[in-house]
Amino acid sequence: IRRMLVHSPISGILMCLPTAAEVIIVAHSHHDHAGHDHSHPGEHGPEFEITLSAGHLDDLARLIVTWSQIEFLITNIVGLLDKSDLSKTTMQLEAMTIGARIDHLRSLIPRIANDRARQDAIGICDELGALVPHRNHASHGLWGDFIDYEGKKAVAACFYGPSKERPIFATELSEMGRKAAGLSRRLGALLGTLAPAFTASSPRRF
């Protein structure tokens, strides 16, 4: 993380300081600091307080689970276009980042005979490529509180070291999940075009 991490003597807060005007609190410790007792919320609670609301946690979980479907669909489509065994394709793609998997799928698009499906595949890859940095940010970053001193408010947000952009806020998760769900449906339709046996009523058990 290319930011300064400091430990506040107040409430045992670990903070990341991007600028003088804004602070992302990475975690609130439950342990005793400066005479304050921050007990665990039950024996199964995590070490640090989770700042996301139940609704935002649901949005984050939905995004992560939907993304697993996206990767599953990409693997099947690549296997069909490559005329490769699914287990071999899975091993090949597992060694790639998600961005590289999308690029590999893009390289196979000319093999799609159906003009409409081929154009949609291009659009899918473009939109997936645009969503990947935000998905990585939300999935791999540090969730805590974003403190806006000027606005005098604290909101749940995610800091991600590799990202040069502002934090992702929990309020953005719902829209990210909606975009991911739409892309999963379009990938499913593309797979159905390539392998009609896959087409069935949707949604279905995964």
Side-chain angles (χ1 to χ4, degrees):
I1 299 176
R2 297 181 180 178
R3 297 289 190 275
M4 182 184 296
L5 289 176
V6 297
H7 187 275
S8 169
I10 304 174
S11 302
I13 295 172
L14 179 66
M15 299 188 295
C16 176
L17 303 178
T19 70
E22 52 193 43
V23 175
I24 298 173
I25 300 177
V26 176
H28 300 262
S29 174
H30 292 292
H31 293 300
D32 185 14
H33 294 278
H36 298 284
D37 181 21
H38 300 272
S39 58
H40 287 276
E43 62 177 307
H44 300 296
E47 174 61 23
F48 299 108
E49 178 185 346
I50 295 175
T51 60
L52 286 83
S53 68
H56 290 149
L57 284 171
D58 182 69
D59 291 336
L60 180 58
R62 193 177 303 277
L63 173 63
I64 291 171
V65 173
T66 301
W67 200 268
S68 72
Q69 296 183 22
I70 286 173
E71 295 193 9
F72 169 81
L73 290 162
I74 288 175
T75 300
N76 279 269
I77 293 168
V78 167
L80 283 171
L81 295 177
D82 249 344
K83 294 181 171 57
S84 174
D85 178 78
L86 188 58
S87 61
K88 181 180 178 181
T89 301
T90 300
M91 291 182 63
Q92 177 190 13
L93 296 185
E94 281 294 325
M96 300 180 183
T97 64
I98 182 61
R101 296 180 203 185
I102 294 168
D103 288 341
H104 184 52
L105 173 58
R106 191 189 299 275
S107 72
L108 299 174
I109 289 176
R111 300 184 185 184
I112 300 175
N114 183 290
D115 289 341
R116 182 174 179 180
R118 189 166 57 249
Q119 289 302 313
D120 195 36
I122 293 172
I124 290 170
C125 287
D126 289 343
E127 292 181 38
L128 279 172
L131 189 57
V132 162
H134 303 288
R135 172 265 179 184
N136 288 346
H137 191 140
S139 299
H140 303 305
L142 300 175
W143 282 97
D145 282 329
F146 177 87
I147 307 299
D148 179 356
Y149 285 115
E150 294 182 359
K152 296 182 180 179
K153 60 183 179 180
V155 293
C158 184
F159 173 77
Y160 187 46
S163 175
K164 299 183 183 302
E165 300 180 0
R166 62 172 177 75
I168 280 181
F169 295 96
T171 51
E172 299 175 66
L173 289 171
S174 178
E175 177 64 12
M176 290 170 61
R178 186 191 67 77
K179 290 180 179 179
L183 287 166
S184 74
R185 291 193 299 271
R186 290 171 65 188
L187 282 165
L190 177 59
L191 180 56
T193 299
L194 299 173
F198 173 78
T199 303
S201 59
S202 182
R204 71 199 86 170
R205 303 290 292 184
F206 180 42

